[in-house]
Amino acid sequence: MATVISIVPEKNVAPSVVQTIAVSEISGGDKIPSSLDVTAGVREEKGVKKRFFTRPWGRRQIGVLCVLGLFGLALIALVIVLPIYFTKFYGFAKDTDDDWQLPQPNEDRSYHLEENRPVFALHNFPDPGLIQHNGTWYAYGTNPRKKNPDSIHVPVATSSNFVNWTLHEGYDAMPTLGAWEKTVNHWAPDVIQRDDGKFVLYYSGEAKNYGTHHCVGVAISNGTSPIGPYIPEDEPLACPHKHGGAIDPSPFRDTDGTLYVVYKGDGNSIGHGGNCGNSKKPVVSVPILLQELKADGITTVGKSVQILDIDDTDGPLVEAPDILLAEDGTYYLFFSSHCYSSLGYNVKYAHSKSLNGPYVRADRPLLQTADWGLEAPGGATVSTDGSKMVFHANCGQFRCMWSAAIDIRSNNNTIVMSALAVDQVSNSTNSTNSTGNS
């Protein structure tokens, strides 16, 4: 049975909108949509969009979501792959500057003996060179004031006992300069005596028309005293541009009397950045080079020979080479590794039965940070008899010189620190106080 409902409009409604709606009660519960439902449908048909994520999803929503998903996967892949790629080809090398903090396997007990402690010698005296003459020790240092044209180029200190050192205040062992070099930044001088009695000084000078790169310079004493003054040559002794120049020269005389100079090819100065300019890949070669000389000590013979280069334990560089010939015929090459401004800086050594190598590295540095409380020891020079050594280490904002004794164990080619004479060590306090300014 159907019920007829008549909707009678009010007086102000036009007769044309009068509707008669039949409400049928049909089995199954279907009902006639209300006027609100009809209005909503009309609005949707006229362009009022439903929300994007309202279900059910149409093909449009599914397509957009697929594109977004693919984009997200690609972004995740880039985040994972790109660091690996750039680390492999352009990234930073393994940082080994903190290796000194690792426990030392089979640590020699000599490193725990207080009597083996190095003795403070000179304030603000980096990269010391060393020679003994007529019972007096002479040490030569890097210029005391960086980038200062008024600085002394080569300071000198002397000692009669290797512990109490006297700085020659205001004295410059090389007061004049060669035509090739700037007035600043003279580093790591070292001296040897030649057959005519004069002395030859080797040093690192900053070259003109070569940016801030250094070359190895050479100067001759104007007399027969190791204190100088020294007169420099107008041309550098060595300046390999392919290695970024050269620094840290050290002279050596072999058993047959032949003179050599060993120095660092300054490869990290042309590196790709990072720690000391060379911790960012690809890491640049930083070779230790050996150059034969004529008896005058200033004329080269043939080409230089590479005897060492950096490995994975050295950080960005090796530098400050020094060669010693032991009594048993073994050559020892001392050198420093890591950046001098980091706590990883150290004194290492290697041995060989041939001057030209190959050199076998020792497992443990001879000196490193934390040994007897030292910070960043490096730049060592050893006496020709192999019993004593000078080096620098951090002392506040400066690098100061220490004196020490060493013991070469020929049975296994290892070197350890040893004790200076007791009567010398007792005077170490006076040495510290007498060298407060530089």
Side-chain angles (χ1 to χ4, degrees), residues 329-347:
T330 301
Y331 294 91
Y332 287 91
L333 173 64
F334 298 83
F335 60 97
S336 293
S337 72
H338 301 287
C339 190
Y340 80 94
S341 59
S342 78
L343 292 179
Y345 205 58
N346 54 28
V347 178

Side-chain angles (χ1 to χ4, degrees), residues 70-317:
L70 290 174
F71 179 79
L73 290 174
L75 186 61
I76 293 172
L78 287 175
V79 169
I80 296 173
V81 173
L82 284 180
I84 298 174
Y85 176 84
F86 283 107
T87 298
K88 182 177 181 181
F89 293 101
Y90 303 103
F92 287 86
K94 179 184 177 182
D95 185 1
T96 57
D97 274 7
D98 292 333
D99 280 0
W100 61 270
Q101 295 179 326
L102 300 176
Q104 295 291 330
N106 304 317
E107 179 77 302
D108 192 277
R109 67 179 299 271
S110 62
Y111 286 94
H112 302 284
L113 299 178
E114 183 62 23
E115 59 262 34
N116 294 344
R117 174 183 293 275
V119 178
F120 182 93
L122 291 167
H123 175 75
N124 190 16
F125 207 87
D127 309 310
L130 180 69
I131 191 172
Q132 186 184 35
H133 181 67
N134 291 339
T136 299
W137 294 97
Y138 296 80
Y140 310 83
T142 284
N143 59 266
R145 291 185 287 175
K146 297 179 180 179
K147 301 179 182 180
N148 190 327
D150 296 324
S151 174
I152 290 172
H153 305 122
V154 180
V156 180
T158 54
S159 175
S160 60
N161 60 14
F162 208 73
V163 171
N164 301 100
W165 290 84
T166 299
L167 178 68
H168 291 249
E169 291 278 1
Y171 179 74
D172 193 342
M174 191 177 68
T176 61
L177 300 177
W180 63 273
E181 58 190 315
K182 298 178 185 178
T183 58
V184 297
N185 297 341
H186 292 81
W187 303 340
D190 204 357
V191 170
I192 198 169
Q193 187 175 26
R194 64 187 188 184
D195 294 338
D196 65 357
K198 289 193 173 184
F199 293 83
V200 186
L201 181 145
Y202 304 86
Y203 63 97
S204 314
E206 193 168 308
K208 295 178 180 177
N209 304 317
Y210 194 22
T212 57
H213 294 282
H214 281 66
C215 305
V216 170
V218 61
I220 310 298
S221 66
N222 67 348
T224 56
S225 171
I227 204 169
Y230 291 85
I231 311 302
E233 296 293 299
D234 282 334
E235 295 293 333
L237 178 70
C239 196
H241 281 218
K242 69 177 181 179
H243 295 306
I247 63 172
D248 297 350
S250 177
F252 171 75
R253 186 189 298 275
D254 209 353
T255 52
D256 62 0
T258 304
L259 291 178
Y260 296 86
V261 62
V262 61
Y263 57 89
K264 168 198 175 183
D266 203 17
N268 59 287
S269 70
I270 53 173
H272 298 97
N275 192 13
C276 256
N278 196 35
S279 63
K280 191 173 183 181
K281 292 185 178 181
V283 174
V284 175
S285 168
V286 185
I288 300 298
L289 302 170
L290 179 70
Q291 176 64 62
E292 183 179 345
L293 303 170
K294 290 185 177 181
D296 62 6
I298 61 175
T299 304
T300 59
V301 177
K303 295 182 178 180
S304 62
V305 177
Q306 178 177 314
I307 60 174
L308 196 76
D309 204 345
I310 54 174
D311 71 7
D312 291 340
T313 69
D314 295 323
L317 58 83

